[in-house]
Amino acid sequence: MASPPAAPATNPTSWPTLNSAERGALRELLIHGPMPRAEIARRLGISRTSLTRVTRELMEHGLVSEGAAELNGTAGRPGELLHVRPQGRSFLGVNLTADRLFAAVTDLEARVLVSHDEALDSGGVEDTIAQIGRVRERLVKGRPDIAAAGIALAGDVVTSTGRQIVTESPFLGWRQVALADLAEQRLGVPVATENDVRCLTAAEHWFGVGAGFDLMALITVGFGIGFGLVVDGKIVTGGHGKAGRLDHLPIDRNGPLCEYGHRGCVTAFLPNAAIVGAMRTPGLDYEAVVALARSGDPAAVRAFRDAAYALGVLVATLANTFDPEKIVITGEGIPVAELARSEMDSAIAATLHPTAAPVVVDIQPFEFTEWARAAAVLAIRDRLQF
Ligand SMILES: [Zn+2]
């Protein structure tokens, strides 16, 4: 597929300084795949001459190459296509949960090259950064070092005077932690941090089912309920890092209580623990309730139907709010969308505005390593300053 790669002019593992046109060209190739030079120039609104300078620079850094490649399903002249050199750089993604660290190294096109997970040593900030350093050394052994890293975690992350601050991560018990700066000192490469669901949204938006969409939403279901929004091609973070907080939306005022004391909110029905709790049977775990629902157990089926109804209300509420082109549902709790799809669809129909366009729902299977890959995508996007 590729012509002989251009020899990188600089350190072949570190990320070079690129100007905005160079970043833009690389971004277009990453999101939309190989394309002719003329098409990139058109998309970026720059002259062919300028693009020649841009591509020469990107080739010298070993980030793109030119050669025959198939256009994605469309007719085109082969032989003049620019494409990303996936092996041009590698990236570390780390996802932190309350008690585990998930890590992956990916190439420039976000393909996982190697992954690893282990228990968190203590969950303290310094210990965790040291642990990330050791995991990086383990993962890059015998392969090119990383160019940048991304760290994803459940919590609020804001950028304040150019620094990324984890303002609050309840699962880790962290507040006001300059995680990116601290990790950068330890790893010696640029580090970006972000809320885990926003990372996952970014991954779907560039390298997944949302590629090329300007307006999309992502809902994660599982341990908690998360939301990611893309508006005009950008991830929405909100004024305080808290955009997309629909996890306590009221659903049924006669429903069960959530941990905040709301009666019948989304969190009282939809998270895996709420589905298990609805069974009122000690000793059951989520997998057992899934198995019971598949075998037709009435209580388990009911729990999944109630959860799916709440999910449908969320989908339609997002659709009513900002009319996305697509809504992606994913996460470890994805069986809810499969076991009770009709309940979800009827909630969507009941909640959607009468004049709204039909909602495009994309249900994506999920593996836990996706979180770490998404953190690597954060690192890639951060290098392209998007
Ligand atoms: Zn609630």
Side-chain angles (χ1 to χ4, degrees):
M1 144 163 179
S3 59
T10 53
N11 179 345
T13 65
S14 68
W15 189 259
T17 304
L18 302 176
N19 67 30
S20 78
E22 290 155 6
R23 293 195 304 271
L26 194 51
R27 216 155 51 209
E28 291 299 317
L29 291 171
L30 278 172
I31 298 174
H32 302 288
M35 64 180 85
R37 284 171 181 248
E39 173 63 14
I40 301 178
R42 190 190 64 75
R43 284 168 178 262
L44 297 179
I46 62 176
S47 69
R48 297 284 296 267
T49 318
S50 302
L51 189 73
T52 302
R53 279 198 298 274
V54 165
T55 49
R56 191 192 310 126
E57 194 69 17
L58 291 174
M59 282 177 172
E60 281 178 7
H61 289 303
L63 295 168
V64 304
S65 56
E66 191 165 35
E70 298 292 323
L71 278 177
N72 290 339
T74 58
R77 277 180 311 139
E80 292 295 323
L81 300 182
L82 277 174
H83 44 90
V84 171
R85 284 187 71 232
Q87 69 276 35
R89 294 296 184 281
S90 53
F91 300 86
L92 172 68
V94 174
N95 177 240
L96 302 174
T97 70
D99 55 2
R100 269 192 109 63
L101 180 158
F102 293 81
V105 172
T106 74
D107 66 17
L108 183 53
E109 290 183 327
R111 269 184 293 266
V112 174
L113 304 171
V114 57
S115 64
H116 170 72
D117 67 275
E118 62 184 42
L120 274 184
D121 284 347
S122 73
V125 174
E126 283 177 22
D127 282 355
T128 302
I129 288 167
Q131 193 173 0
I132 291 171
R134 289 195 301 277
V135 167
R136 175 263 197 98
E137 282 147 27
R138 172 192 178 125
L139 287 179
V140 302
K141 211 165 215 171
R143 56 178 75 239
D145 204 352
I146 56 166
I151 304 174
L153 73 177
D156 300 334
V157 179
V158 297
T159 300
S160 168
T161 58
R163 302 175 81 213
Q164 288 180 321
I165 309 290
V166 178
T167 52
E168 185 163 24
S169 179
F171 293 116
L172 289 158
W174 295 358
R175 291 176 69 89
Q176 303 297 333
V177 176
L179 182 63
D181 285 0
L182 294 168
E184 211 161 292
Q185 287 163 20
R186 173 65 176 78
L187 298 176
V189 295
V191 177
T193 50
E194 184 51 284
N195 168 274
D196 52 5
V197 178
R198 277 188 212 118
C199 283
L200 203 58
T201 307
E204 291 292 356
H205 179 230
W206 270 29
F207 299 105
V209 293
F213 287 88
D214 278 338
L215 279 150
M216 64 168 271
L218 177 138
I219 303 174
T220 59
V221 289
F223 184 74
I225 310 301
F227 301 87
L229 310 175
V230 174
V231 174
D232 295 339
K234 292 198 189 304
I235 307 280
V236 177
T237 55
H240 311 89
K242 293 174 186 287
R245 286 286 158 87
L246 293 172
D247 45 336
H248 290 275
L249 189 75
I251 300 290
D252 175 2
R253 66 180 185 180
N254 298 313
L257 292 171
C258 82
E259 75 270 24
Y260 289 128
H262 306 139
R263 190 159 286 288
C265 76
V266 166
T267 297
F269 288 111
L270 182 53
N272 291 0
I275 293 170
V276 174
M279 298 295 288
R280 299 174 196 275
T281 308
L284 283 180
D285 64 7
Y286 179 71
E287 283 68 31
V289 182
V290 170
L292 282 170
R294 287 197 207 286
S295 69
D297 175 86
V301 169
R302 175 70 198 259
F304 273 101
R305 282 189 181 155
D306 287 347
Y309 189 87
L311 179 57
V313 172
L314 285 182
V315 167
T317 301
L318 282 172
N320 290 339
T321 306
F322 79 115
D323 186 22
E325 295 161 282
K326 177 178 266 196
I327 297 181
V328 180
I329 304 174
T330 189
E332 54 274 20
I334 205 67
V336 65
E338 157 214 336
L339 285 164
R341 178 66 193 257
S342 61
E343 203 69 26
M344 181 178 94
D345 287 342
S346 63
I348 293 173
T351 313
L352 200 60
H353 190 276
T355 66
V359 185
V360 178
V361 175
D362 195 323
I363 296 166
Q364 282 298 306
F366 188 79
E367 288 179 31
F368 219 85
T369 50
E370 274 298 303
W371 292 111
R373 174 178 175 264
V377 171
L378 169 70
I380 297 169
R381 284 178 72 119
D382 184 61
R383 286 303 82 204
L384 294 167
Q385 290 169 24
F386 191 74

